[in-house]
Coordinates of all heavy atoms in Angstrom, one line a residue:
Y61 N -9.7 -20.0 1.5 CA -9.0 -21.2 0.9 C -7.6 -20.7 0.8 O -7.3 -19.8 0.0 CB -9.7 -21.6 -0.4 CG -11.1 -21.9 -0.2 CD1 -12.1 -20.9 -0.1 CD2 -11.5 -23.2 0.1 CE1 -13.4 -21.2 0.2 CE2 -12.9 -23.5 0.4 CZ -13.8 -22.5 0.4 OH -15.1 -22.7 0.7
S120 N -19.2 -13.9 -11.1 CA -18.6 -13.3 -9.9 C -18.5 -14.3 -8.7 O -17.9 -13.9 -7.7 CB -19.5 -12.1 -9.5 OG -20.8 -12.6 -9.1
G121 N -19.1 -15.5 -8.8 CA -19.0 -16.4 -7.7 C -20.0 -17.5 -7.9 O -20.8 -17.6 -8.9
G122 N -19.9 -18.5 -7.0 CA -20.8 -19.7 -7.1 C -22.3 -19.3 -7.2 O -23.0 -19.9 -7.9
T123 N -22.7 -18.4 -6.4 CA -24.1 -18.0 -6.3 C -24.5 -17.5 -7.7 O -25.6 -18.0 -8.2 CB -24.4 -17.0 -5.2 OG1 -24.0 -17.6 -4.0 CG2 -25.8 -16.6 -5.2
E124 N -23.7 -16.7 -8.3 CA -24.1 -16.2 -9.6 C -24.1 -17.3 -10.7 O -25.0 -17.4 -11.5 CB -23.2 -15.0 -10.1 CG -23.8 -14.4 -11.3 CD -22.9 -13.2 -11.9 OE1 -21.7 -13.1 -11.5 OE2 -23.4 -12.5 -12.7
C126 N -24.9 -20.4 -10.0 CA -26.1 -21.2 -9.8 C -27.3 -20.5 -10.2 O -28.3 -21.0 -10.8 CB -26.2 -21.6 -8.3 SG -24.9 -22.7 -7.8
H152 N -27.4 -26.3 -2.1 CA -26.9 -25.1 -1.6 C -28.1 -24.0 -1.6 O -28.9 -24.0 -2.6 CB -25.7 -24.6 -2.4 CG -25.0 -23.4 -1.8 ND1 -25.4 -22.1 -2.0 CD2 -23.9 -23.4 -1.0 CE1 -24.5 -21.3 -1.4 NE2 -23.6 -22.1 -0.7
A154 N -28.1 -21.2 -2.7 CA -28.1 -20.4 -3.9 C -29.3 -20.8 -4.8 O -29.8 -20.0 -5.5 CB -26.8 -20.7 -4.7
F155 N -29.7 -22.1 -4.7 CA -30.8 -22.5 -5.5 C -32.2 -22.0 -4.9 O -33.1 -21.7 -5.7 CB -30.8 -24.0 -5.7 CG -29.6 -24.5 -6.5 CD1 -28.5 -24.9 -5.9 CD2 -29.7 -24.4 -7.9 CE1 -27.3 -25.2 -6.6 CE2 -28.6 -24.7 -8.6 CZ -27.4 -25.1 -8.0
S196 N -25.2 -32.2 -6.4 CA -24.1 -31.6 -5.8 C -22.8 -32.5 -5.9 O -22.9 -33.7 -5.6 CB -24.3 -31.2 -4.4 OG -25.5 -30.3 -4.3
P198 N -19.2 -31.8 -4.2 CA -20.0 -32.4 -3.2 C -21.0 -31.4 -2.7 O -20.9 -30.2 -3.0 CB -19.0 -32.9 -2.2 CG -18.0 -31.8 -2.2 CD -17.9 -31.3 -3.6
S199 N -21.8 -31.8 -1.8 CA -22.7 -30.9 -1.0 C -21.8 -30.2 0.0 O -20.8 -30.8 0.5 CB -23.8 -31.7 -0.2 OG -23.1 -32.6 0.6
Y200 N -22.1 -29.0 0.3 CA -21.3 -28.2 1.3 C -21.4 -28.8 2.7 O -20.4 -29.0 3.4 CB -21.8 -26.7 1.3 CG -20.9 -25.9 2.2 CD1 -19.7 -25.4 1.8 CD2 -21.4 -25.6 3.5 CE1 -18.9 -24.6 2.7 CE2 -20.6 -24.9 4.4 CZ -19.4 -24.4 4.0 OH -18.6 -23.6 4.8
D225 N -23.8 -28.9 -9.2 CA -23.2 -27.8 -8.5 C -21.9 -28.4 -7.9 O -21.9 -29.0 -6.8 CB -24.2 -27.4 -7.4 CG -23.5 -26.3 -6.5 OD1 -22.4 -25.8 -6.8 OD2 -24.1 -26.0 -5.4
A226 N -20.8 -28.1 -8.6 CA -19.5 -28.4 -8.1 C -18.7 -27.2 -7.7 O -17.5 -27.1 -7.9 CB -18.7 -29.2 -9.2
C227 N -19.5 -26.2 -7.2 CA -18.9 -24.9 -6.9 C -17.7 -25.1 -5.9 O -16.6 -24.6 -6.2 CB -20.0 -24.0 -6.2 SG -21.0 -23.2 -7.4
I228 N -17.9 -25.9 -4.9 CA -16.8 -26.0 -3.9 C -15.9 -27.1 -4.3 O -14.6 -27.0 -4.1 CB -17.4 -26.1 -2.5 CG1 -16.2 -25.9 -1.5 CG2 -18.0 -27.5 -2.2 CD1 -16.7 -25.5 -0.1
G229 N -16.4 -28.2 -4.9 CA -15.6 -29.4 -5.0 C -15.0 -29.6 -6.4 O -14.1 -30.4 -6.6
S257 N -21.3 -25.9 -12.4 CA -20.7 -24.7 -11.8 C -19.5 -25.1 -10.9 O -19.5 -26.1 -10.2 CB -21.7 -23.9 -10.9 OG -22.3 -24.8 -10.0
D259 N -16.2 -23.1 -8.7 CA -15.7 -21.8 -8.2 C -14.2 -21.8 -8.3 O -13.5 -22.7 -7.8 CB -16.1 -21.5 -6.8 CG -17.6 -21.3 -6.6 OD1 -18.3 -21.2 -7.7 OD2 -18.1 -21.2 -5.5
H261 N -12.6 -19.2 -6.9 CA -12.2 -18.5 -5.6 C -12.4 -19.4 -4.4 O -12.2 -19.0 -3.3 CB -13.0 -17.2 -5.5 CG -14.5 -17.3 -5.3 ND1 -15.3 -16.1 -5.4 CD2 -15.3 -18.3 -5.0 CE1 -16.5 -16.5 -5.2 NE2 -16.6 -17.8 -4.9
K262 N -12.6 -20.7 -4.7 CA -12.5 -21.7 -3.6 C -11.3 -22.5 -3.8 O -10.2 -22.0 -3.7 CB -13.8 -22.5 -3.5 CG -15.0 -21.7 -2.9 CD -16.3 -22.4 -2.8 CE -17.4 -21.6 -2.3 NZ -18.7 -22.1 -2.7
S271 N -16.0 -17.5 -10.5 CA -16.5 -18.9 -10.6 C -16.7 -19.2 -12.1 O -16.8 -18.2 -12.9 CB -17.9 -19.0 -9.9 OG -18.6 -20.2 -10.2
L359 N -14.0 -31.6 2.5 CA -14.8 -31.0 3.5 C -15.1 -32.1 4.6 O -15.4 -33.2 4.2 CB -16.1 -30.5 2.9 CG -16.1 -29.8 1.6 CD1 -17.5 -29.4 1.1 CD2 -15.2 -28.5 1.7
Ligands
PLP612 C1 -19.8 -21.9 -2.0 C2 -20.9 -22.7 -2.7 C3 -21.9 -22.1 -3.5 C4 -22.0 -20.6 -3.7 O1 -20.8 -20.0 -4.0 P1 -20.4 -18.5 -3.5 O2 -19.1 -18.4 -4.2 O3 -20.3 -18.5 -2.0 O4 -21.5 -17.6 -4.1 C5 -22.7 -22.9 -4.2 N1 -22.7 -24.3 -4.0 C6 -21.9 -24.9 -3.2 C7 -21.9 -26.3 -3.0 C8 -20.9 -24.1 -2.5 O5 -20.1 -24.7 -1.6

Side-chain angles (χ1 to χ4, degrees):
Y61 302 82
S120 64
T123 298
E124 190 180 14
C126 297
H152 192 273
F155 294 94
S196 302
S199 60
Y200 182 84
D225 177 8
C227 278
I228 194 158
S257 50
D259 293 351
H261 65 194
K262 287 177 182 161
S271 166
L359 316 177

